[in-house]
Amino acid sequence: MEFERVVRERYSCRQYQKTPVARESIRRILELAQQTPSWCNCQPWQVLLVTGEALEQFRLALHAHAAQGLPARPDFPFPTRYEGLYRERRKICGVQLYQALGIGREDKSAAAQQSLENFRFFGAPHVALITTEQDLGVYGAVDCGLYVANFMLAAQNFGVASIAQAALASYPDFIRGHFGLPVHRKLVCGISFGYAEPVHPINSYRTARATEQEATIWVD
Ligand SMILES: Cc1cc2nc3c(=O)[nH]c(=O)nc-3n(C[C@H](O)[C@H](O)[C@H](O)COP(=O)(O)O)c2cc1C
């Protein structure tokens, strides 16, 4: 039951309190996430855990970089298009966010400003940047995806809110340069985390899911 509650209560948090999570709690989250399985047990994830003054510097630098509006150049290609069901789900996802904030459909400028908040980590006091090894290809990235899920559930288990952000993989060259990462470390995504700002409208809605029947083809 406890596991079920953790899974059901996690959501993507987009506004955080400034209060940092105690280092000991972060270590416990990291230690639990290390239990993630991976192909050949390679454990390709490396976590750049950015916090404190280093995070404040990174927040300013990345936001300024993203605000230039340069095209994203991710290490792993972003989706090229969303059609049919996926287009519809993506649309609902955006509508929920902008309705919660009172941003109208035609207000492109407010939507763009809100989107840039990704690069301020939504005010979170910590961000984990997840990289994989180039040679391990797409399955290295899959292993990292499993790690991200376990990290977020481990965080939820300790009352810590989080959000996975592919947006943080938009400018990997800039991030590698900022932290001196080698070019063979490929950026999968980031996870911003901390204590949720509970009354902020952006944290007030929950996303829906298709039923398990819709997602499953049984073959007896
Ligand atoms: C790999 C991945 C990347 C994501 N990237 C972003 C992002 O860049 N910005 C954002 O606001 N949300 C991002 N999300 C959050 C999704 O929008 C969110 O998980 C989805 O809408 C379901 O909502 P929930 O997490 O609240 O259940 C990402 C989620 C995942 C799993």
Side-chain angles (χ1 to χ4, degrees), residues 8-216:
R8 290 193 188 279
E9 289 185 359
R10 185 213 57 81
Y11 70 97
S12 291
C13 175
R14 294 185 177 86
Q15 190 67 48
Y16 292 84
Q17 300 177 31
K18 283 199 163 60
T19 318
V21 178
R23 197 154 282 225
E24 185 48 33
S25 302
I26 299 179
R27 287 213 180 90
R28 289 177 77 189
I29 294 167
L30 292 167
E31 200 267 323
L32 259 184
Q34 280 301 116
Q35 300 308 310
T36 301
S38 55
W39 195 346
C40 294
N41 201 24
C42 282
Q43 308 164 60
W45 51 83
Q46 267 176 18
V47 184
L48 205 66
L49 203 306
V50 193
T51 187
E53 187 48 38
L55 181 64
E56 295 320 319
Q57 285 175 14
F58 180 46
R59 203 189 307 269
L60 284 175
L62 185 65
H63 185 266
H65 184 77
Q68 295 173 55
L70 300 167
R73 292 194 55 195
D75 290 330
F76 297 95
F78 284 169
T80 48
R81 62 193 188 128
Y82 294 85
E83 288 298 334
L85 195 56
Y86 305 114
R87 189 187 167 94
E88 184 59 21
R89 287 177 183 164
R90 181 173 188 246
K91 188 175 147 202
I92 294 169
C93 184
V95 166
Q96 280 189 289
L97 174 72
Y98 295 124
Q99 270 182 358
L101 294 174
I103 296 175
R105 278 173 137 230
E106 64 297 332
D107 196 348
K108 303 277 183 246
S109 150
Q113 281 306 312
Q114 176 53 39
S115 185
L116 273 177
E117 286 304 306
N118 270 288
F119 303 98
R120 275 204 256 261
F121 322 121
F122 301 112
H126 317 284
V127 67
L129 298 171
I130 314 299
T131 67
T132 181
E133 187 61 34
Q134 173 172 288
D135 291 346
L136 300 186
V138 71
Y139 282 94
V142 168
D143 294 339
C144 288
L146 302 183
Y147 177 90
V148 169
N150 279 340
F151 182 107
M152 294 194 295
L153 292 177
Q156 180 69 30
N157 186 56
F158 295 114
V160 174
S162 66
I163 181 168
Q165 290 175 267
L168 299 185
S170 300
Y171 308 109
D173 290 331
F174 178 83
I175 291 181
R176 272 188 289 268
H178 187 88
F179 292 108
L181 292 176
V183 75
H184 55 88
R185 291 309 300 179
K186 298 300 178 193
L187 190 55
V188 177
C189 69
I191 311 169
S192 295
F193 66 100
Y195 294 110
E197 192 62 76
V199 291
H200 196 285
I202 205 167
N203 289 334
S204 66
Y205 67 91
R206 296 293 176 268
T207 52
R209 295 292 187 275
T211 63
E212 130 295 298
Q213 289 96 321
E214 285 172 277
T216 313

